[in-house]
Amino acid sequence: MNSDLKAAVLERCRRMEIPLIGIASTDRWENPPFQPWMPEEFYPQSIFPEARSVIVIGLPVHLPVLETTPSIYYHELYKTVNTLLDQYTYRLASFLNDCGYPSVFVPRDGYGSIEVLQKSPIAFFSHRHAALLAGLGTFGVNNTLITPKYGPRVRFGSVLTAADLPPDPMLSDDLCTRCMLCVRACPAGALDERDYPEGLTDKAACAANSAKLARRHISPCGICINVCPVGEDRRHYASKNPDGADLRRRAREHVQKYGGF
């Protein structure tokens, strides 16, 4: 395995200020950590036959912005993170191609619109599962990948590469606390209390709620990742002001008045 190339990739990510990166070998899709698992057509090597490794990067969703959801503030942050993910993964794939290893980036979303998602709620590649297999987190009841540093407040992007890179170990400890805050807070009633994957999100209900917010220009929802108590970011953003909770509420109410219908 090419340890020197992995070190070069990590340095490239450091220079682009990417805080989360993990690597999974493609054979991990063939030996899944739980069942039911995805069909083979969704494996990275089915999408890019030359793939031997998958590089996954993660960018955080800043908690104070997320706390205003649904809002134009979170809407714009979500778009910004998505754009950066596409740019960074494209640049990483280009770097690997220049090093002589055929590589491609995978866009952060695999669908054209909420309307498309309502009709067919499955993307052609799952970055969340790639991040799980790359050791970046574990699944929670809310069907998102929970990370130690940011909880579920992370967006992921992936690079499929022919380079045989040393994989990172998967996390052994489950990060979800089973507090069920996400289940109770979901405005679409799309979650239940069963563990992943038994308690899969009601994708139709979730997509319908997203479509309603999109018509108001304040999608996505994000409430299930907002209420999750896991993540070092909660301590980072914790207010030392005794009136902090009231100030956050007032800030949220102010932001929600503007920018959408």
Side-chain angles (χ1 to χ4, degrees):
M1 292 187 177
N2 199 328
S3 298
D4 290 341
L5 181 60
K6 178 177 180 178
V9 168
L10 293 176
E11 173 60 18
R12 197 84 172 184
C13 290
R14 186 194 66 79
R15 285 159 50 190
M16 289 190 287
E17 300 178 333
I18 298 169
L20 295 181
I21 177 170
I23 296 175
S25 57
T26 53
D27 60 7
R28 286 185 177 174
W29 274 259
E30 299 169 357
N31 300 281
F34 52 76
Q35 294 291 343
W37 191 244
M38 67 188 73
E40 186 176 348
E41 64 185 299
F42 294 94
Y43 292 7
Q45 56 270 49
S46 297
I47 297 166
F48 183 58
E50 291 79 7
R52 295 296 176 268
S53 303
V54 179
I55 303 168
V56 186
I57 65 170
L59 297 180
V61 174
H62 298 156
L63 180 58
V65 180
L66 176 61
E67 287 177 338
T68 70
T69 191
S71 70
I72 193 66
Y73 201 2
Y74 176 47
H75 172 82
E76 293 297 332
L77 172 64
Y78 188 87
K79 290 197 303 181
T80 298
V81 172
N82 282 348
T83 299
L84 287 171
L85 284 170
D86 285 352
Q87 292 177 350
Y88 291 160
T89 50
Y90 176 84
R91 291 171 64 184
L92 282 174
S94 297
F95 168 72
L96 288 163
N97 283 319
D98 290 342
C99 291
Y101 301 92
S103 305
V104 296
F105 92 110
V106 181
R108 82 286 172 185
D109 290 328
Y111 55 90
S113 67
I114 291 295
E115 288 73 24
V116 171
L117 194 62
Q118 286 182 284
K119 294 180 180 178
S120 180
I122 300 176
F124 71 86
F125 183 75
S126 172
H127 297 291
R128 292 178 300 117
H129 287 81
L132 169 78
L133 296 176
L136 293 179
T138 63
F139 278 109
V141 170
N142 60 2
N143 196 18
T144 66
L145 197 81
I146 300 176
T147 67
K149 191 169 185 179
Y150 305 108
R153 293 167 289 279
V154 182
R155 296 282 290 159
F156 297 105
S158 304
V159 174
L160 314 183
T161 179
D164 193 12
L165 301 173
D168 292 305
M170 294 178 60
L171 295 188
S172 56
D173 294 333
D174 194 350
L175 297 176
C176 182
T177 66
R178 308 301 191 276
C179 66
M180 302 304 159
L181 289 174
C182 58
V183 175
R184 294 194 292 270
C186 178
L191 303 173
D192 65 38
E193 296 187 359
R194 291 174 295 170
D195 288 345
Y196 185 88
E198 288 81 7
L200 287 171
T201 303
D202 182 341
K203 293 182 179 180
C206 185
N209 184 56
S210 294
K212 180 178 67 175
L213 294 175
R215 289 191 291 271
R216 298 172 57 199
H217 305 287
I218 54 173
S219 62
C221 173
I223 288 176
C224 66
I225 66 173
N226 177 33
V227 300
C228 180
V230 181
E232 296 173 12
D233 58 339
R234 288 216 170 271
R235 290 191 293 275
H236 174 72
Y237 284 113
S239 176
K240 296 179 176 60
N241 189 322
D243 298 322
D246 184 59
L247 293 172
R248 286 277 182 93
R249 177 188 58 78
R250 289 164 57 186
R252 180 179 67 252
E253 292 174 351
H254 167 73
V255 171
Q256 289 178 338
K257 289 180 182 178
Y258 303 96
F261 296 126

